[in-house]
Amino acid sequence: MSLPDVTAANVAEVLQNDRMVKVAGVDVDGQLRGKLMKKSKFLSIVAGGFGFCSITFGWDQQDMDYPKELAIWNEENGYRDLNSFRRIPWENNVPFFLVSFLDPDTREPVCACPRGLLKNVAAKAETAGYRAMAGGIAVWIQGFKCRISTSQAHYVMFVSTIRYVVKASGIKHGIAPCFMAKPRHGFPGNSGHMHITLVTMDGKNAFTRDTPDPSPPHPDVAHLSDLGRQFLAGLLTGLPDMMPLFAPTINSYKPTHFEIRVPGADANPHFVLAAIIALGWRGIEKELEIPVPPLPKGEDMSSASDKGVRLAKSLNEAVATFTRPDNVAREVFGDSFVDHFGGTREHEIQLWEEAVTDWEVRRYIETV
């Protein structure tokens, strides 16, 4: 069933037969944090937004408080996105809207709001006359794979709700779909890799050139436009600095990925796409050159031909790089975001270091 386009002018008519409305925002882990409200309450805040619990960015995935108070507590304000209108069939078809979190004074996105971060990054490209088009594949345990290809806004809106939809549907059928990057030993892992291109406002792919470059720096990029090469250079140059956004959990570093195949199914899609666009656009603005040649056919990583920079092998290593004063993330996202998100990942590391795993118990309980 197709859904109507919802605007402030027609939202009351669209919801005329409803009593309740569900709203939810996306936290730093990509989880939906929401509440159910009366329709009359929702209609009263359509124009101006509403207060949303400040704990949204103060809880981890298990609703545990972060050990130190992070900078944006008590500053967020919810602002509904009518374009995100959906209905939830397994909850009596209740209407559903995503919200973004804005500073109540400036009306600018709160620094850690995933939707706001992506919106700000995409706006830079749009100001210059380009739109980001994204597609990707999300894989999760139970053997399912989901391909999505659309505009960046619709892509992340879909992916940010897919985990909720899949898990809620799975429970009704007695299964528990899992989006961990590597849920068990011997399994290759759940991926969340992403494809991206920039297009002009009239829809032309900005990464291609009409005729092959007769003298490309590398044969593999002969069909890639100068803008496309700069975008790629930005990704290759900045990716090592952004690893906590692509691989945000302890478990993220156990499988091996890389289209952009670094992200796992556990990553926050807003942050992943924001990082990709931000790094690529930085490459364009700085007119960066591709820093390393592609590996020749038949050559393996770590061979003499491999000149690439190694990515972090653990969340601890990734966060140490991410929070450095000279990190690229601070340049493109600002200190407030890096300090907040870095703090949430330090909390994750601390919990892991304090944990006693099943492997440790099996390994040592009878032998030491």
Side-chain angles (χ1 to χ4, degrees):
M1 181 181 67
S2 61
L3 295 170
D5 293 330
V6 179
T7 66
N10 71 356
V11 63
E13 180 182 356
V14 171
L15 303 179
Q16 61 181 324
N17 296 321
D18 296 293
R19 294 179 54 252
M20 307 295 290
V21 176
K22 177 170 279 192
V23 297
V26 184
D27 70 9
V28 296
D29 291 300
Q31 294 183 337
L32 293 177
R33 300 282 185 175
K35 59 184 177 182
L36 198 63
M37 62 173 63
K38 289 184 177 180
K39 180 178 68 174
S40 58
K41 168 70 173 180
F42 178 79
L43 293 177
S44 72
I45 53 87
V46 160
F50 61 101
F52 208 96
C53 184
S54 63
I55 201 65
T56 300
F57 296 112
W59 271 346
D60 69 6
Q61 298 180 58
Q62 300 291 334
D63 295 348
M64 180 184 293
D65 290 354
Y66 292 122
K68 62 180 181 181
E69 185 165 321
L70 300 174
I72 64 169
W73 273 35
N74 301 317
E75 290 186 3
E76 50 274 13
N77 194 39
Y79 188 75
R80 85 291 169 276
D81 176 7
L82 296 181
N83 291 326
S84 67
F85 171 60
R86 297 290 186 273
R87 289 189 179 275
I88 306 177
W90 57 90
E91 294 185 19
N92 298 319
N93 224 29
V94 65
F96 172 80
F97 295 87
L98 286 171
V99 302
S100 296
F101 298 99
L102 308 182
D103 184 287
D105 297 321
T106 66
R107 306 298 288 175
E108 292 296 319
V110 171
C111 69
C113 174
R115 303 186 79 223
L117 188 75
L118 176 58
K119 181 180 179 181
N120 285 345
V121 169
K124 292 184 178 181
E126 290 171 1
T127 299
Y130 299 98
R131 290 184 295 116
M133 301 295 290
I137 298 177
V139 180
W140 60 89
I141 287 293
Q142 308 300 341
F144 295 110
K145 181 182 292 186
C146 180
R147 287 184 173 87
I148 315 115
S149 182
T150 180
S151 68
Q152 56 88 12
H154 286 92
Y155 172 77
V156 292
M157 184 168 67
F158 182 89
V159 177
S160 64
T161 57
I162 189 65
R163 282 185 281 199
Y164 165 66
V165 171
V166 170
K167 288 184 176 182
S169 299
I171 289 172
K172 295 178 72 70
H173 295 280
I175 59 175
C178 175
F179 289 85
M180 287 176 62
K182 188 165 186 175
R184 63 173 179 257
H185 177 70
F187 190 82
N190 289 332
S191 65
H193 55 267
M194 191 174 292
H195 310 251
I196 189 170
T197 190
L198 295 182
V199 299
T200 60
M201 291 304 176
D202 59 1
K204 182 180 179 181
N205 190 331
F207 284 175
T208 62
R209 58 176 68 235
D210 295 331
T211 58
D213 184 349
S215 303
H218 312 291
D220 300 62
V221 299
H223 293 271
L224 200 59
S225 68
D226 291 346
L227 184 138
R229 293 173 187 176
Q230 293 165 359
F231 193 97
L232 177 59
L235 279 174
L236 294 174
T237 302
L239 183 58
D241 282 11
M242 295 282 200
M243 281 301 292
L245 300 179
F246 292 88
T249 72
I250 296 292
N251 186 254
S252 301
Y253 295 81
K254 296 189 175 179
T256 303
H257 305 299
F258 200 31
E259 261 135 47
I260 299 163
R261 293 203 172 206
V262 174
D266 56 352
N268 185 327
H270 294 83
F271 287 163
V272 170
L273 189 53
I276 291 170
I277 296 174
L279 291 176
W281 195 252
R282 177 177 179 268
I284 293 170
E285 288 183 328
K286 294 180 177 292
E287 298 182 350
L288 298 180
E289 296 183 358
I290 296 173
V292 293
L295 277 177
K297 290 183 179 179
E299 292 281 352
D300 295 325
M301 289 189 299
S302 301
S303 68
S305 301
D306 182 5
K307 307 298 183 183
V309 176
R310 291 292 168 268
L311 301 179
K313 293 183 178 180
S314 69
L315 184 60
N316 206 337
E317 181 184 346
V319 171
T321 300
F322 183 72
T323 54
R324 283 194 331 245
D326 60 344
N327 187 279
V328 170
R330 294 188 183 277
E331 177 185 335
V332 297
F333 291 142
D335 290 336
S336 295
F337 171 75
V338 172
D339 291 340
H340 180 88
F341 188 72
T344 70
R345 298 310 95 184
E346 289 169 351
H347 167 73
E348 196 79 7
I349 293 167
Q350 180 181 340
L351 292 180
W352 167 250
E353 291 177 342
E354 293 172 352
V356 177
T357 66
D358 292 345
W359 181 88
E360 291 171 280
V361 174
R362 291 195 305 270
R363 180 77 173 175
Y364 302 120
I365 193 168
E366 294 181 352
T367 60
V368 297

